[in-house]
Amino acid sequence: MAEPINAAPWPPAAPVPAAQATAPLHSPRDPQTEALARLVADACDDRKAVDIRLIRMDEVSSLADWFVICSGLSDVQVRAIARSVEDRLEEVHGRLPLRREGQAEGRWVLLDYGEVIVHVLTPAERSYYDLESFWGHGEQVPFVGSAADLNA
Protein backbone atom coordinates (compact mmCIF):
# COMPACT_ATOMS: atom_id res chain seq x y z
CA MET A 1 0.00 0.00 0.00
CA ALA A 2 1.36 3.44 -0.99
CA GLU A 3 1.93 6.17 1.56
CA PRO A 4 -0.09 9.43 1.08
CA ILE A 5 1.86 12.29 -0.51
CA ASN A 6 2.22 15.35 1.68
CA ALA A 7 1.79 18.48 -0.50
CA ALA A 8 3.13 20.84 2.17
CA PRO A 9 6.67 22.18 1.50
CA TRP A 10 9.50 20.92 3.65
CA PRO A 11 10.86 22.56 5.64
CA PRO A 12 7.84 24.75 6.28
CA ALA A 13 8.39 28.45 5.63
CA ALA A 14 8.60 30.62 8.72
CA PRO A 15 5.62 32.97 8.95
CA VAL A 16 6.32 36.66 8.41
CA PRO A 17 5.23 38.76 11.40
CA ALA A 18 2.34 41.05 10.45
CA ALA A 19 4.31 44.16 11.48
CA GLN A 20 7.11 43.28 9.04
CA ALA A 21 4.77 42.35 6.20
CA THR A 22 3.12 45.77 6.16
CA ALA A 23 6.10 47.96 7.13
CA PRO A 24 6.53 50.94 4.79
CA LEU A 25 9.78 51.52 2.93
CA HIS A 26 10.18 54.91 4.61
CA SER A 27 9.09 55.66 8.13
CA PRO A 28 6.16 58.10 8.05
CA ARG A 29 6.64 61.58 9.43
CA ASP A 30 10.38 61.12 9.52
CA PRO A 31 11.94 64.48 10.48
CA GLN A 32 15.02 63.69 8.38
CA THR A 33 12.85 63.22 5.32
CA GLU A 34 11.09 66.53 5.95
CA ALA A 35 14.49 68.20 6.38
CA LEU A 36 15.54 66.72 3.02
CA ALA A 37 12.41 68.13 1.37
CA ARG A 38 13.12 71.55 2.89
CA LEU A 39 16.73 71.38 1.68
CA VAL A 40 15.41 70.67 -1.83
CA ALA A 41 13.04 73.65 -1.56
CA ASP A 42 15.91 75.86 -0.40
CA ALA A 43 18.01 74.76 -3.39
CA CYS A 44 15.07 75.64 -5.68
CA ASP A 45 14.81 79.02 -4.01
CA ASP A 46 18.52 79.66 -4.65
CA ARG A 47 17.75 79.70 -8.38
CA LYS A 48 14.69 81.93 -7.91
CA ALA A 49 12.08 79.20 -8.40
CA VAL A 50 8.50 80.46 -8.32
CA ASP A 51 5.68 79.16 -6.10
CA ILE A 52 7.57 76.44 -4.23
CA ARG A 53 5.20 73.88 -2.69
CA LEU A 54 5.94 70.98 -0.37
CA ILE A 55 3.31 68.23 -0.28
CA ARG A 56 3.43 65.51 2.35
CA MET A 57 2.67 62.27 0.53
CA ASP A 58 3.42 59.57 3.09
CA GLU A 59 -0.22 59.07 4.09
CA VAL A 60 -1.73 59.23 0.60
CA SER A 61 0.72 57.41 -1.65
CA SER A 62 3.55 54.92 -1.58
CA LEU A 63 5.40 56.82 -4.33
CA ALA A 64 7.29 59.06 -1.91
CA ASP A 65 7.06 60.78 1.45
CA TRP A 66 7.28 64.28 -0.07
CA PHE A 67 6.76 66.07 -3.37
CA VAL A 68 8.49 69.39 -3.92
CA ILE A 69 6.88 71.28 -6.80
CA CYS A 70 8.08 74.60 -8.20
CA SER A 71 8.23 76.62 -11.41
CA GLY A 72 10.98 78.13 -13.50
CA LEU A 73 10.02 80.88 -15.92
CA SER A 74 11.98 79.42 -18.85
CA ASP A 75 13.44 76.08 -19.88
CA VAL A 76 16.90 77.42 -18.99
CA GLN A 77 15.73 78.33 -15.48
CA VAL A 78 13.97 74.97 -15.04
CA ARG A 79 17.23 73.16 -15.82
CA ALA A 80 19.20 75.53 -13.54
CA ILE A 81 16.81 74.85 -10.64
CA ALA A 82 17.09 71.08 -11.15
CA ARG A 83 20.89 71.32 -11.30
CA SER A 84 20.87 73.36 -8.08
CA VAL A 85 18.89 70.61 -6.33
CA GLU A 86 21.25 67.91 -7.61
CA ASP A 87 24.35 69.88 -6.57
CA ARG A 88 22.99 70.67 -3.10
CA LEU A 89 21.94 67.11 -2.27
CA GLU A 90 25.20 65.71 -3.54
CA GLU A 91 27.21 68.29 -1.56
CA VAL A 92 25.28 67.99 1.70
CA HIS A 93 24.24 64.31 1.69
CA GLY A 94 26.36 62.71 -1.04
CA ARG A 95 23.17 61.69 -2.85
CA LEU A 96 22.37 61.54 -6.53
CA PRO A 97 18.83 61.09 -7.88
CA LEU A 98 17.64 57.53 -8.45
CA ARG A 99 15.95 58.76 -11.65
CA ARG A 100 16.12 61.94 -13.65
CA GLU A 101 13.66 62.82 -16.41
CA GLY A 102 13.06 65.78 -18.73
CA GLN A 103 16.33 67.69 -18.49
CA ALA A 104 16.89 67.80 -22.25
CA GLU A 105 13.52 69.45 -22.89
CA GLY A 106 13.55 71.65 -19.79
CA ARG A 107 9.77 72.02 -19.54
CA TRP A 108 9.27 69.50 -16.71
CA VAL A 109 12.25 68.05 -14.89
CA LEU A 110 11.60 65.26 -12.41
CA LEU A 111 14.24 64.19 -9.87
CA ASP A 112 13.46 61.07 -7.86
CA TYR A 113 15.35 60.71 -4.59
CA GLY A 114 13.16 57.89 -3.29
CA GLU A 115 11.52 59.54 -0.31
CA VAL A 116 11.43 62.97 -2.03
CA ILE A 117 10.37 63.56 -5.63
CA VAL A 118 11.12 66.96 -7.14
CA HIS A 119 9.03 68.45 -9.96
CA VAL A 120 10.37 71.59 -11.66
CA LEU A 121 8.02 72.85 -14.38
CA THR A 122 7.48 75.85 -16.62
CA PRO A 123 4.26 77.73 -15.73
CA ALA A 124 2.47 76.35 -18.83
CA GLU A 125 3.32 72.73 -17.95
CA ARG A 126 2.46 73.27 -14.29
CA SER A 127 -0.92 74.74 -15.18
CA TYR A 128 -1.69 71.95 -17.65
CA TYR A 129 -0.76 69.02 -15.37
CA ASP A 130 -1.92 70.72 -12.14
CA LEU A 131 -0.10 68.33 -9.80
CA GLU A 132 -1.19 70.28 -6.72
CA SER A 133 -4.86 69.53 -7.48
CA PHE A 134 -4.18 65.93 -8.47
CA TRP A 135 -2.32 65.34 -5.20
CA GLY A 136 -4.48 67.83 -3.27
CA HIS A 137 -5.39 65.28 -0.60
CA GLY A 138 -1.74 65.41 0.57
CA GLU A 139 -0.94 67.94 3.28
CA GLN A 140 0.62 71.10 1.83
CA VAL A 141 3.38 72.45 4.05
CA PRO A 142 4.36 76.11 3.63
CA PHE A 143 7.82 77.08 2.43
CA VAL A 144 9.06 80.58 3.13
CA GLY A 145 11.93 81.45 0.86
CA SER A 146 14.19 84.40 0.24
CA ALA A 147 11.49 86.57 -1.40
CA ALA A 148 9.61 86.63 1.92
CA ASP A 149 12.88 87.40 3.74
CA LEU A 150 13.44 90.47 1.53
CA ASN A 151 9.94 91.79 2.24
CA ALA A 152 10.27 91.41 6.01
Side-chain angles (χ1 to χ4, degrees):
M1 186 164 181
E3 300 251 346
I5 297 174
N6 185 356
W10 189 261
V16 176
Q20 283 182 345
T22 60
L25 292 175
H26 310 289
S27 59
R29 303 209 184 258
D30 181 355
Q32 290 179 336
T33 303
E34 181 174 355
L36 185 66
R38 290 191 179 278
L39 181 65
V40 166
D42 190 53
C44 294
D45 188 53
D46 282 351
R47 293 292 177 260
K48 307 300 183 217
V50 178
D51 194 17
I52 302 169
R53 304 273 180 101
L54 285 79
I55 303 176
R56 181 179 295 241
M57 300 295 296
D58 57 358
E59 293 183 4
V60 297
S61 174
S62 62
L63 290 175
D65 291 345
W66 290 90
F67 276 6
V68 178
I69 303 171
C70 68
S71 294
L73 301 179
S74 68
D75 58 341
V76 172
Q77 186 183 18
V78 166
R79 285 192 291 268
I81 293 165
R83 187 74 215 157
S84 177
V85 171
E86 288 186 76
D87 290 346
R88 179 76 60 88
L89 266 62
E90 185 175 9
E91 176 185 315
V92 174
H93 293 289
R95 292 187 60 180
L96 296 173
L98 302 172
R99 285 187 60 108
R100 176 187 303 118
E101 298 290 338
Q103 279 189 311
E105 298 83 11
R107 294 186 308 269
W108 179 358
V109 175
L110 181 143
L111 302 172
D112 182 353
Y113 285 93
E115 66 269 44
V116 176
I117 297 178
V118 186
H119 300 272
V120 186
L121 304 96
T122 61
E125 297 287 313
R126 189 167 179 177
S127 174
Y128 181 80
Y129 289 103
D130 199 10
L131 296 175
E132 291 93 338
S133 293
F134 188 78
W135 294 106
H137 47 291
E139 176 188 352
Q140 294 205 19
V141 177
F143 174 76
V144 180
S146 62
D149 294 339
L150 294 175
N151 293 332

